């Protein structure tokens, strides 16, 4: 098992307060429906990820809508959204963290996933740049590499389902594994322009202890049909810390938008928080969208 990385945290961005909870639905939860589908309210927010409701398991996507007539993490969901249980399966005790779901690797699918997900690829002549902190995907001499939010080259790990070899290069011979069941959501879906503090909850539904933090929280804005990363202010200060996310647990953080370089110029529109969560398997990126109005 790989040693979990120590991730830097922007002290002025995050006030970490771990809340170790399971993920039962709150007492004031309520089913609701609109033209896009069903969702389950939780106070002023909504359910995300796997939830057990009235002894049935449902999966809610990042936007809160219930998935149905599909398979999530290898588990089949019926037309009512409930998990169709088989005698050989037990969702609570035997959910796999990763399996080799896609045997054939599609490089065009890989490129399209990065593009639509808002993760641009930087083309380089050399893997490392002097006096430069790397972050994200790099294309070097025809090979793809990934640098974590803290600038470390990922090796012999899985990043968002993609296998990386011992040299860090993307390994296309292994196909793609399914994504880890880690989700994030904001406390509210809409905030007024000028809002500074935004609460996010990150839920780890896997059986592995995770950690995250950092700069390393990334804040994006959706403009011209693409996600664009927003720069932090030059006065941002950093400290060596790590936020632990226990297996089957939830952690709450307070993120500050005022750390952004152009905070006072933020206009109305769709934004998102992106966190990089690491464990012994590798890295997973989770996002929580919200609107500024």
């Amino acid at each position: 098992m790989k040693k979990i990385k120590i991730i830097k945290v922007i002290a002025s961005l995050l006030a970490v307060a771990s809340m170790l909870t399971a993920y039962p639905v709150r007492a004031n939860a309520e089913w609701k429906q609109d033209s896009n589908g069903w969702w389950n309210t939780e106070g002023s927010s909504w359910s995300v990820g796997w939830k057990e409701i009235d002894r049935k398991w449902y999966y809610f996507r990042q936007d809160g809508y219930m998935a149905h007539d599909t398979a999530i993490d290898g588990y089949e969901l019926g037309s009512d959204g409930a998990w169709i249980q088989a005698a050989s399966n037990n969702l609570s005790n035997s959910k796999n963290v990763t399996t080799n779901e896609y045997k054939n690797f599609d490089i065009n699918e890989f490129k399209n996933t990065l593009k639509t997900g808002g993760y641009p690829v930087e083309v380089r002549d050399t893997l490392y740049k002097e006096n430069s902190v790397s972050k994200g995907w790099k294309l070097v001499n025809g090979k793809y590499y990934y640098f974590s939010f803290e600038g470390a080259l990922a090796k012999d790990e899985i990043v968002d389902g993609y296998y990386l070899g011992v040299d860090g290069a993307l390994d296309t011979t292994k196909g793609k594994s399914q994504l880890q069941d880690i989700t994030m959501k904001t406390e509210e879906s809409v905030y007024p322009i000028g809002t500074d503090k935004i609460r996010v909850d990150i839920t780890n539904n896997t059986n592995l202890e995770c950690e995250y933090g950092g700069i390393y929280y990334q804040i994006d804005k959706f403009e011209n049909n693409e996600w664009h990363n927003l720069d932090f202010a030059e006065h941002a200060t950093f400290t060596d810390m790590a936020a632990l996310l226990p297996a089957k647990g939830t952690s709450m953080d307070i993120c500050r938008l005022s750390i952004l370089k152009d905070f006072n110029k933020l206009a109305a529109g769709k934004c998102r928080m992106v966190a990089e969560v690491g464990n012994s398997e590798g890295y997973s990126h989770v996002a929580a969208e919200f609107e500024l109005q």
Side-chain angles (χ1 to χ4, degrees):
M1 180 178 293
K2 301 181 183 67
K3 184 178 180 181
I4 295 179
K5 300 103 180 147
I6 298 299
I7 301 177
K8 295 179 180 178
V9 178
I10 298 181
S12 54
L13 174 62
L14 299 175
V16 179
S18 294
M19 295 167 52
L20 308 185
T21 65
Y23 42 100
V25 174
R26 300 174 186 173
N28 60 342
E30 179 183 359
W31 283 100
K32 291 190 176 182
Q33 183 186 31
D34 62 15
S35 59
N36 294 315
W38 287 90
W39 75 94
N40 186 69
T41 63
E42 294 187 25
S44 58
S45 188
W46 56 80
S47 300
V48 174
W50 287 104
K51 298 291 177 181
E52 185 178 21
I53 304 174
D54 296 331
R55 298 185 179 181
K56 293 183 178 181
W57 284 93
Y58 300 86
Y59 186 85
F60 298 90
R61 303 188 188 280
Q62 192 65 47
D63 58 8
Y65 286 105
M66 178 192 74
H68 62 88
D69 297 302
T70 187
I72 301 293
D73 296 340
Y75 297 93
E76 186 177 355
L77 303 177
S79 59
D80 62 349
W83 169 45
I84 301 174
Q85 300 187 35
S88 60
N89 288 333
N90 186 310
L91 181 60
S92 300
N93 299 322
S94 63
K95 284 181 66 178
N96 294 324
V97 176
T98 56
T99 60
N100 201 23
E101 182 180 6
Y102 305 111
K103 299 296 184 181
N104 297 320
F105 186 88
D106 187 334
I107 190 63
N108 292 322
E109 181 270 342
F110 167 73
K111 294 177 181 179
N112 187 61
T113 297
L114 297 187
K115 180 179 180 180
T116 57
Y119 303 108
V121 177
E122 179 187 359
V123 180
R124 289 184 173 182
D125 294 327
T126 59
L127 189 57
Y128 295 97
K129 278 189 175 181
E130 188 176 358
N131 300 322
S132 176
V133 177
S134 295
K135 184 178 80 169
W137 288 96
K138 315 296 175 186
L139 179 59
V140 183
N141 297 325
K143 295 183 178 181
Y144 288 89
Y145 299 85
Y146 180 79
F147 287 84
S148 72
F149 279 13
E150 64 176 347
L153 176 64
K155 297 180 179 181
D156 195 21
E157 296 178 288
I158 300 173
V159 176
D160 293 333
Y162 296 105
Y163 292 90
L164 302 178
V166 293
D167 62 348
L170 178 67
D171 187 346
T172 61
T173 66
K174 294 183 178 180
K176 182 184 177 183
S177 79
Q178 68 182 36
L179 299 178
Q180 298 195 53
D181 190 3
I182 304 171
T183 60
M184 180 169 68
K185 65 178 180 178
T186 56
E187 184 177 24
E188 307 287 346
S189 59
V190 179
Y191 295 90
I193 294 176
T195 296
D196 179 15
K197 298 179 181 179
I198 292 183
R199 168 178 163 165
V200 296
D201 293 305
I202 303 180
T203 299
N204 175 16
N205 296 317
T206 76
N207 295 315
L208 298 177
E209 182 181 80
C210 301
E211 69 172 19
Y212 68 94
I215 179 172
Y216 317 116
Y217 252 107
Q218 178 175 299
I219 303 175
D220 297 342
K221 197 165 190 300
F222 195 71
E223 296 177 323
N224 300 320
N225 295 318
E226 291 183 344
W227 287 106
H228 298 274
N229 181 229
L230 302 179
D231 294 330
F232 292 119
E234 293 182 2
H235 65 260
T237 56
F238 306 90
T239 184
D240 288 330
M241 295 177 61
L244 295 180
L245 182 58
K248 305 297 184 181
T250 296
S251 179
M252 182 277 287
D253 298 321
I254 301 298
C255 301
R256 303 183 69 99
L257 295 184
S258 59
I259 198 71
L260 293 173
K261 178 181 178 181
D262 294 322
F263 169 67
N264 293 325
K265 298 179 182 179
L266 271 181
K270 183 164 64 174
C271 300
R272 70 178 182 182
M273 300 285 184
V274 179
E276 184 175 76
V277 181
N279 57 27
S280 59
E281 293 285 333
Y283 295 105
S284 295
H285 294 89
V286 292
E289 296 183 12
F290 60 95
E291 289 275 348
L292 289 178
Q293 293 184 358

